[in-house]
Amino acid sequence: MYAQVAIEQVPGQLFTYAVPAGMEVRVGQSVTVPWRRIYHRGYVIALSEECPYVPKAEPDAQGDLFGETPAPKVKAIERIEDPLPYFSEGTITLLRWMAEYYDVGFTLALRSALPAPVREGRSQARERYVVAPILPPPPHLPPLSKRQKELYENIVRVDGGLLARLCEEFSTTAPTIRRLAKMGYLTCELREAPRSPLAGRRVLPSKPLPLTPSQAEALDVILREERPVLLFGVTGSGKTEVYMQAIAKTLEEGRDAIVLVPEISLTPQTVSRFAARFGQQVALLHSALSDGERHDEWHRIRRGQARVVVGPRSAVFAPVRRLGLIIVDEEHDTGYKQDESPRYSARDVAVMRAHIEKARCLLGSATPSLESWRNATELGKYALARLPERVGGAELPAVTLIDLREAGKPGEPLPIFSEPLIDALKGCLERGEQAILFLNRRGYAPTYQCAACGEPIKCEHCDAKLTYHAKDDTLRCHLCGRWQRPPAKCPTCGAPLFKTLGVGTQRVEQALAKILPRARVIRMDADSTGRRHSHDELLSAFRAKEADILLGTQMIAKGLDFPNVTLVGILSADRSLNIAYDFRAAERTFQLIAQVSGRAGRGVLPGQVFVQTLQPDHPAIRTACDCAYERFADDELALRRAQGLPPYTRLAALTLTGPDQAALERAAENAARALARTPGLEVLPPMPAPLERKDDLWRWQLLLKSQSSLRIARACHTLLPPDDRISGPIKALLDIDAVFLA
Ligand code: ADP
Ligand code: ZN
């Protein structure tokens, strides 16, 4: 018996090993194999009776004593790491498909299916100290000092937990807590505790709600259909309840479920809704978990101890035993596209995995991607279920469109806030309600320019203007992350005066402080949410009404449900509309307005939305303000069809990067000429990428169109196999079904 083994550290090919007699190897197992005199971890991808490979003699074994070449020998698997496989046959089929479809090496595809702490076999499950308060405290205990009392009360409040975590949370030491245990207030015991992110969180169990007629119908479609189902439901229409009942049904059938959510909406709130319904059966896979937690959650799933997996895009590979259902929530979200190789779309991988494992697939959104919408309407590849109304008759918010061109005074810069929005904000705060303000740009001002010659200050390493951050008086490049102090003199003309142009979230924060000095504002953007928990902390504070206004970038655009929010302001709806090279700009803008306005009026209070724009007549903005998705989709699809753009064609981007501009241009033209020979493939003329320079490297781009992505992948594979693309000074990156054309 022979095994094909993928060795993570040696990508590029699979290796053949002999299975020693008596060793029971199965496909998907993790094994240890020798490779060049070092033992490596590998995964068994296939088994065969015949040896599929004729080994070459090892060069260093040549020329033995008798001057003959020794008979080459296939090496043997050293040992099986774990009898329970890491991958099912279905997952291996899926990874093979992925490797071919996205044109990456198999081993790289496999890598994306394993969280780093699992791959590295780090953090073995181990015993840990668990602290629990004894309640009520037994009588006649020795008295506590003031600090001990405070600590004890804190531990009671959080209902105990892991010793290490409590020490961290309450800035104390293990001996201090142990002393409380010795005194009789607590127990502190060694237990084999899987490090579960949900452990120690108290969640009230929830029961299935009686479904509304449209929810019941949607559930029926989901359970009946063999095709993937697109669940088109406005925000607040009860999609999550439908998800949970579909999951419950799947569990009853003895099968497991995966729920993909955008990274950004993986809030404790989302997670606890699933935990409340399915308790300990829920596993959470999330990059913000500690290594130990990720490691343990993944193995809990593999062992069948957790049967509902909630996580971001990489959870699509979760090692559930018998997949019965995959849900992709907010299926239109661009976060499902991985931005490094393999550049897979988790939504598309989910559809494929469900197909391979004969599981149900459910895509949900209030603003479906045009790809999915077309599949569900024109093509009938998906079934369509609708939830046209909010649950409990809550109205969708009234949307007011404000023409910013008329809001300012002639000759003055555009105002950040129009009068109607300021009035509405004041009214909202007076009533004790909350508001969300949205601006898709962080920093203080996106342009820092010379007041004399008008030249903006640019990054020396990228094709990007630097953003001014007032808080620490820096100019930052949002592309490469480099920062510098503002220069004393203009590098172009030498004048010593600068002005800032444009508006970022920090500047809005400052302006708010002037207009509404008493308003408590939480700002949330990539600059304010650095630490591991601060994203959650900021949201919890806002939920607990510790602030009146939540101000942020797209981070706050989706998934949040705050019943007390009655006002949403989009400060500039144009920002995403004007990206000339992004043919999906209108779609993004529609989604953004619809999703952001979906935050208002989720509770019993009615909601109000203000959209400030310089282009009030743009169809995407108009239809979004009317919440008219279908009208938008019809018009936009007609445009795309006329222009030969996705979803009517497949589009891939081949980006070449290199230090020498002329050599790069030549390489791009050669590649274009070679690819153009493929039948059924349209190659657009090579051009500098929209981001012409990043991190000191030049970038050129070729756009490739075809009816089949596989044809594109194969043509590129023939031109340049994936492993050769990243060697040499010029590197090539292939992005199949490209989403970001930067
Ligand atoms: P969506 O996921 O579509 O945005 P949610 O599932 O969050 O909508 O539902 C919005 C609100 O309506 C939630 O508070 C939810 O608990 C409630 N809800 C959903 N379905 C029902 C139902 N059948 N009966 C009563 N309340 C419901
Ligand atoms: Zn830069």
Side-chain angles (χ1 to χ4, degrees):
M1 185 79 97
Y2 296 90
Q4 296 285 312
V5 176
I7 304 177
E8 206 213 312
Q9 268 126 359
V10 197
Q13 67 180 99
L14 299 181
F15 298 91
T16 303
Y17 286 89
V19 177
M23 189 187 273
E24 284 196 34
V25 171
R26 284 163 63 195
V27 167
Q29 275 172 339
S30 155
V31 292
T32 296
V33 290
W35 192 82
R36 296 224 171 130
R37 293 156 189 245
I38 297 177
Y39 286 108
H40 286 273
R41 163 114 71 138
Y43 304 92
V44 178
I45 303 307
L47 291 169
S48 59
E49 287 299 332
E50 299 282 301
C51 181
Y53 158 82
V54 184
K56 291 189 289 268
E58 282 199 22
D60 50 14
Q62 268 169 2
D64 63 344
L65 279 178
F66 303 99
E68 281 173 17
T69 312
K73 203 165 121 244
V74 175
K75 289 182 188 165
I77 292 177
E78 177 69 14
R79 63 172 178 276
I80 299 172
E81 286 299 314
D82 187 340
L84 187 64
Y86 273 44
F87 298 100
S88 64
E89 306 239 2
T91 310
I92 290 173
T93 310
L94 181 72
L95 294 175
R96 283 192 193 278
W97 168 80
M98 229 176 98
E100 189 181 15
Y101 187 88
Y102 293 104
D103 195 30
V104 295
F106 178 84
T107 310
L108 194 66
L110 178 128
R111 240 181 104 90
S112 51
L114 288 175
V118 173
R119 289 201 310 258
E120 286 148 28
R122 250 189 278 145
S123 44
Q124 299 299 319
R126 59 190 143 112
E127 297 196 316
R128 317 203 320 149
Y129 282 99
V130 177
V131 175
I134 300 173
L135 289 175
H140 314 303
L141 292 181
L144 295 171
S145 73
K146 190 162 160 271
R147 289 194 44 201
Q148 281 175 327
K149 185 152 180 289
E150 195 180 312
L151 175 62
Y152 171 68
E153 280 166 2
N154 276 331
I155 292 174
V156 171
R157 184 167 54 77
V158 300
D159 199 22
L162 294 176
L163 179 65
R165 193 176 279 182
L166 293 174
C167 290
E168 195 181 304
E169 192 165 345
F170 302 121
S171 318
T172 184
T173 60
T176 315
I177 293 183
R178 288 221 180 85
R179 202 162 308 129
L180 292 180
K182 275 216 189 77
M183 291 165 81
Y185 287 88
L186 319 163
T187 60
C188 180
E189 287 161 357
L190 203 53
R191 284 198 224 144
E192 201 203 299
R195 289 148 294 188
S196 161
L198 295 171
R201 192 186 289 166
R202 262 178 301 178
V203 189
L204 294 177
S206 82
K207 287 220 171 60
L209 298 170
L211 295 181
T212 64
S214 37
Q215 280 176 320
E217 203 184 308
L219 182 61
D220 206 48
V221 173
I222 294 159
L223 298 179
R224 184 168 24 117
E225 269 292 338
E226 286 187 354
R227 296 174 292 174
V229 175
L230 177 64
L231 180 59
F232 168 45
V234 295
T235 52
S237 60
K239 292 188 289 297
T240 312
E241 185 62 35
V242 174
Y243 298 162
M244 292 197 289
Q245 302 208 10
I247 295 170
K249 186 75 188 162
T250 305
L251 295 178
E252 265 171 39
E253 295 167 352
R255 309 237 273 171
D256 312 325
I258 298 175
V259 186
L260 302 183
V261 294
E263 184 99 31
I264 225 112
S265 42
L266 253 183
T267 56
Q269 199 187 331
T270 312
V271 174
S272 28
R273 284 180 78 177
F274 288 94
R277 191 66 58 87
F278 303 107
Q280 285 302 309
Q281 299 192 81
V282 177
L284 182 61
L285 291 176
H286 188 241
S287 61
L289 302 180
S290 70
D291 281 358
E293 285 171 335
R294 278 203 287 166
H295 177 273
D296 291 3
E297 287 290 85
W298 196 85
H299 287 289
R300 219 156 63 83
I301 300 165
R302 187 172 66 101
R303 293 191 200 103
Q305 291 159 341
R307 297 180 47 208
V308 180
V309 179
V310 181
R313 60 175 179 244
S314 58
V316 72
F317 303 108
V320 294
R321 293 253 182 115
R322 286 191 63 211
L323 184 68
L325 170 67
I326 301 193
I327 295 169
V328 185
D329 187 28
E330 313 275 10
E331 65 86 30
H332 64 276
D333 196 282
T334 52
Y336 284 124
K337 183 85 156 110
Q338 164 104 330
D339 51 11
E340 53 190 58
S341 193
R343 298 179 164 235
Y344 66 89
S345 150
R347 177 198 57 217
D348 298 348
V349 174
V351 171
M352 194 44 143
R353 180 166 181 188
H355 173 74
I356 291 171
E357 302 193 28
K358 301 200 168 45
R360 297 184 182 110
C361 184
L362 173 57
L363 313 176
S365 177
T367 54
S369 65
L370 290 177
E371 280 76 7
S372 298
W373 184 249
R374 178 169 180 249
N375 278 336
T377 53
E378 281 175 33
L379 298 180
K381 280 194 197 165
Y382 299 169
L384 181 62
R386 295 167 196 261
L387 298 176
E389 273 147 28
R390 284 189 161 182
V391 175
E395 294 283 316
L396 281 168
V399 180
T400 310
L401 200 56
I402 293 175
D403 188 345
L404 266 187
R405 292 169 306 185
E406 291 168 4
K409 299 195 185 81
E412 285 187 13
L414 292 171
I416 299 176
F417 299 101
S418 59
E419 288 296 331
L421 178 55
I422 295 177
D423 292 343
L425 271 172
K426 285 181 177 156
C428 172
L429 301 193
E430 271 161 26
R431 291 189 301 273
E433 297 162 5
Q434 290 172 296
I436 293 182
L437 293 178
F438 179 86
L439 181 70
N440 211 352
R441 190 177 249 159
R442 65 195 169 96
Y444 181 84
T447 310
Y448 193 80
Q449 70 174 200
C450 172
C453 73
E455 267 309 299
I457 308 283
K458 288 187 167 172
C459 178
E460 283 171 28
H461 307 272
C462 307
D463 175 29
K465 288 189 275 185
L466 295 178
T467 297
Y468 182 61
H469 286 234
K471 198 163 182 191
D472 51 5
D473 190 34
T474 53
L475 290 171
R476 290 179 181 268
C477 174
H478 289 182
L479 283 181
C480 69
R482 289 186 176 87
W483 65 274
Q484 61 181 73
R485 292 269 164 242
K489 286 185 294 192
C490 170
T492 310
C493 75
L497 269 183
F498 291 92
K499 62 183 178 191
T500 52
L501 271 190
V503 178
T505 43
Q506 292 177 11
R507 189 169 205 162
V508 175
E509 193 176 20
Q510 201 183 63
L512 270 177
K514 283 210 188 98
I515 303 171
L516 300 164
R518 277 190 317 226
R520 297 163 304 166
V521 179
I522 290 182
R523 197 188 89 225
M524 210 166 109
D525 53 37
D527 304 311
S528 71
T529 56
R531 282 182 308 123
R532 187 177 145 202
H533 284 302
S534 63
H535 180 236
D536 292 350
E537 281 162 14
L538 293 175
L539 292 178
S540 311
F542 187 60
R543 168 167 293 273
K545 301 190 192 162
E546 286 165 28
D548 308 300
I549 298 176
L550 177 64
L551 160 67
T553 55
Q554 70 264 39
M555 252 184 206
I556 62 172
K558 49 208 157 194
L560 313 177
D561 188 354
F562 299 106
N564 198 41
V565 168
T566 57
L567 175 64
V568 170
I570 299 176
L571 299 180
S572 166
D574 310 306
R575 169 124 166 81
S576 60
L577 207 53
N578 294 336
I579 307 177
Y581 53 83
D582 183 1
F583 66 86
R584 290 191 181 89
E587 187 179 356
R588 300 270 171 270
T589 304
F590 182 93
Q591 286 162 353
L592 176 74
I593 298 177
Q595 296 282 335
V596 174
S597 9
R599 301 303 114 221
R602 304 265 299 186
V604 285
L605 303 168
Q608 229 186 338
V609 177
F610 286 82
V611 177
Q612 304 190 141
T613 174
L614 294 170
Q615 302 167 70
D617 295 322
H618 193 287
I621 291 184
R622 282 231 97 90
T623 47
C625 290
D626 296 344
C627 294
Y629 173 79
E630 292 186 49
R631 189 143 50 86
F632 167 75
D634 287 348
D635 293 352
E636 185 67 16
L637 279 177
L639 272 177
R640 300 271 186 92
R641 184 203 291 268
Q643 295 167 346
L645 287 169
Y648 293 93
T649 180
R650 297 305 188 112
L651 181 103
L654 185 68
T655 306
L656 305 184
T657 66
D660 178 351
Q661 211 182 353
L664 192 62
E665 184 174 347
R666 273 196 308 278
E669 265 152 20
N670 289 340
R673 217 169 299 125
L675 287 170
R677 287 197 278 271
T678 314
L681 190 72
E682 185 189 346
V683 184
L684 304 190
M687 277 195 296
L691 271 176
E692 204 177 335
R693 200 162 69 111
K694 185 178 167 192
D695 235 346
D696 289 325
L697 290 176
W698 297 93
R699 308 171 79 245
W700 274 66
Q701 205 166 60
L702 269 84
L703 296 185
L704 311 169
K705 285 187 188 176
S706 171
Q707 280 309 312
S708 142
S709 285
L710 208 51
R711 187 171 301 146
I712 302 178
R714 286 191 183 140
C716 291
H717 191 96
T718 315
L719 179 73
L720 206 58
D723 290 306
D724 297 339
R725 266 181 221 150
I726 47 170
S727 58
I730 295 183
K731 302 196 190 329
L733 296 165
L734 176 62
D735 188 359
I736 292 284
D737 298 332
V739 169
F740 306 103
L741 292 178

